[in-house]
Amino acid sequence: MTIAIYPGSFDPITNGHIDVAIRAAGIFDRVVIGIYDNPDKQLMFTLEERVEMAKKAVAGIGNIEVMPFTGLAVNFTKKVKAQAMVRGLRVSADFEHEFDMAMMNKKLNPELELVCLMASPEYQFLSSSLLKEVARLGGNIDDLVPKHVAEALRKKEGA
Ligand code: ADP
């Protein structure tokens, strides 16, 4: 059985993330979306909220599941017995960061393969941070996230 983890902050999960997870689920038998508990970023949502929103977003898809994780993603990979790590790449901005992380992860676990999927054209510009900014300023985000995520963002902003 081929298993991949798709780790990230998912603060919150967007249609760009979901697109990558669904495409990965067409390649691997099982995809585990790993939600990192404490990234070096200012978060809007708690770990529980991020997990709940992601779970709801992929609820109908049999071979995708969502799990929180603490510490190194390579250790989480071992825990779920994944052979690969999936990441999404948007234009050139993500590449250098992903490349450095991939090299470090390879050092930490030489057996782990990184699989990068190119972001779909309609989501190239979409990031959780830009999304939060647009939501904060009252812009329409309905095409960019599932309905329950848009509602959660509006609730956070008190809109
Ligand atoms: P991280 O904090 O690890 O960067 P993110 O939640 O921001 O976590 O992103 C998780 C992964 O999803 C990363 O590989 C990122 O490049 C990718 N990603 C984010 N947004 C998109 C998108 N719109 N399309 C494709 N991949 C994306």
Side-chain angles (χ1 to χ4, degrees), residues 33-144:
I33 296 179
I35 310 220
Y36 183 35
D37 70 336
N38 195 16
D40 190 16
K41 286 183 177 178
Q42 214 182 338
L43 297 172
M44 175 180 268
F45 295 98
T46 65
L47 178 64
E48 291 71 27
E49 288 171 327
R50 287 179 284 138
V51 169
E52 271 320 298
M53 281 187 283
K55 277 189 175 167
K56 210 166 165 181
V58 296
I61 309 162
N63 63 337
I64 304 182
E65 62 195 274
V66 178
M67 285 168 75
F69 77 95
T70 314
L72 287 171
V74 284
N75 291 346
F76 179 59
T77 307
K78 285 180 188 159
K79 192 175 149 198
V80 300
K81 297 188 169 50
Q83 302 92 340
M85 180 186 291
V86 169
R87 299 280 288 173
L89 282 188
R90 286 158 297 181
V91 208
S92 55
D94 288 326
F95 180 76
E96 281 187 26
H97 176 61
E98 294 299 333
F99 189 81
D100 288 348
M101 260 197 334
M103 293 300 114
M104 182 57 83
N105 285 338
K106 200 77 185 164
K107 181 122 191 88
L108 296 170
N109 178 4
E111 278 159 32
L112 182 68
E113 286 300 340
L114 176 73
V115 175
C116 285
L117 297 181
M118 300 297 152
S120 293
E122 61 270 43
Y123 302 128
Q124 281 288 344
F125 64 94
L126 180 56
S127 66
S128 296
S129 48
L130 189 55
L131 176 82
K132 286 181 280 191
E133 179 84 15
V134 173
R136 189 172 66 80
L137 299 171
N140 188 339
I141 49 158
D142 291 347
D143 290 344
L144 306 176

